[in-house]
Amino acid sequence: MISALTRVVEHIEAHLGDELDIGAVAHEHGTTEYHLRRMFSSLAGMPLSEYVRRRRMTVAASDLVGSEDLLTIAVRYGYGSTEAFARAFQAVHCAPPSAVRRDGGPLRTQPQLRFRLTVEGSSPMDTRIVDHPAFRLIGHAARVPLIHRGANPAIQAHIASLPPAEHARLKGLSDTEPAGLLQVSDGVDPDYAEGTELTYLHGVARAAESSVPPDLDVIEVPAGTWAVFRSSGAYPDALQTVWAATATDWFPANPWRLRPGPSIVSVLERADDFSTATCELWLPVER
């Protein structure tokens, strides 16, 4: 994975003005574009698309010092108009191209990323691998923004809108793993960019052959393998820490990669005020 990520960075540098074929780079290293984008976002702290934009605008800033017209520079870095280029430039540097050409700054430089392997792993991760037949996730779904750290107000509001009796009703419909009430994230942006929308479902798992009440939303989940990670402690901090560690510690050390599909959190135990909880994080994987 370190080799693949390094090759991606080199590919970006060699093709700053071109459409990037990240899928071809992933295939060359025996992985998938989906997994590569997720690992890049988790380890670099930014989506791949954002890194590309920052690098393009970093290099473009040096071109503004010369006498080339703005359209020539815009086209060089993949923009069809000076307006589109100026918007991207200002988003990175917080100054328009005209100000930089006149005053030489201010500029915000994005250095070229370098990925290195650091051996840590002093804290073992409580993990199990589960081969699961096809099943259904049923419950109440809503579109919400992705938030990396802390509580998600949109999810909190969605859950609070459900009457107390509905939680008990849903729990009674659970008849397969993952057990109990579930927090399901589906249709997540491959770059895992904060603020992008995903489908959040508050519900339970039900066997594929079991009936589903007509008033509930359904996500059909095909048969496959899952990596299941356990977390205990302050909620949601402990869970989010484990989620991040899957990218930094677990995937680099194990012969598995992420595959498309929903991620599922099963809350096994929790304090009355939800300040602490023991959870299982289910991630779809393939060898």
Side-chain angles (χ1 to χ4, degrees):
M1 182 50 58
I2 297 298
S3 174
L5 291 170
T6 299
R7 179 68 185 92
V8 166
V9 170
E10 292 171 350
H11 184 74
I12 290 169
E13 291 301 309
H15 301 86
L16 282 175
D18 304 330
E19 285 291 325
L20 299 174
D21 190 354
I22 303 302
V25 178
H27 180 75
E28 178 184 332
H29 287 269
T31 188
T32 63
E33 181 176 356
Y34 180 86
H35 183 69
L36 195 61
R37 284 183 177 273
R38 289 289 294 270
M39 291 301 101
F40 187 99
S41 175
S42 296
L43 297 174
M46 71 183 90
L48 180 58
S49 55
E50 176 63 17
Y51 173 72
V52 171
R53 184 180 69 159
R54 291 184 188 182
R55 281 300 297 156
R56 282 174 173 166
M57 295 303 102
T58 294
V59 178
S62 63
D63 293 352
L64 288 173
V65 177
S67 58
E68 285 184 300
D69 66 274
L70 195 59
L71 182 58
T72 299
I73 298 173
V75 171
R76 178 177 302 142
Y77 294 101
Y79 293 88
S81 68
T82 56
E83 291 79 8
F85 173 79
R87 286 194 297 270
F89 190 91
Q90 180 146 356
V92 171
H93 296 290
C94 296
S98 57
V100 171
R101 173 160 277 179
R102 182 183 66 247
D103 305 325
L107 295 173
R108 291 182 174 179
T109 300
Q110 171 62 60
Q112 182 177 339
L113 286 178
R114 291 176 175 83
F115 293 93
R116 295 187 177 92
L117 180 62
T118 300
V119 179
E120 294 178 342
S122 58
S123 300
M125 298 183 70
D126 186 356
T127 313
R128 59 192 175 104
I129 302 296
V130 177
D131 287 319
H132 204 303
F135 64 102
R136 294 169 169 169
L137 294 165
I138 66 170
H140 298 276
R143 296 289 288 173
V144 302
L146 174 64
I147 292 179
H148 289 163
R149 300 294 297 184
N152 189 317
I155 290 177
Q156 289 180 320
H158 175 60
I159 295 174
S161 69
L162 302 175
E166 184 62 10
H167 301 284
R169 175 198 174 211
L170 287 172
K171 198 168 183 178
L173 291 170
S174 174
D175 65 2
T176 188
E177 279 200 302
L181 287 173
L182 308 176
Q183 303 166 356
V184 180
S185 299
D186 193 32
V188 180
D189 175 62
D191 281 331
Y192 216 63
E194 191 161 29
T196 54
E197 282 201 335
L198 60 97
T199 297
Y200 174 83
L201 182 136
H202 181 76
V204 296
R206 195 153 170 83
E209 64 275 10
S210 299
S211 61
V212 179
D215 62 321
L216 297 181
D217 299 304
V218 180
I219 297 174
E220 299 285 352
V221 183
T225 303
W226 299 78
V228 184
F229 305 88
R230 181 174 287 237
S231 75
S232 294
Y235 183 87
D237 295 345
L239 174 62
Q240 290 170 336
T241 297
V242 166
W243 205 313
T246 63
T248 59
D249 295 348
W250 194 82
F251 280 109
N254 289 275
W256 300 94
R257 67 186 178 199
L258 284 167
R259 59 180 172 85
S263 56
I264 305 169
V265 174
S266 171
V267 180
L268 304 178
E269 299 176 0
R270 68 180 182 87
D272 291 340
D273 61 356
F274 226 141
S275 59
T276 62
T278 297
C279 304
E280 282 190 339
L281 168 64
W282 289 59
L283 296 180
V285 297
E286 60 189 7
R287 185 172 289 277

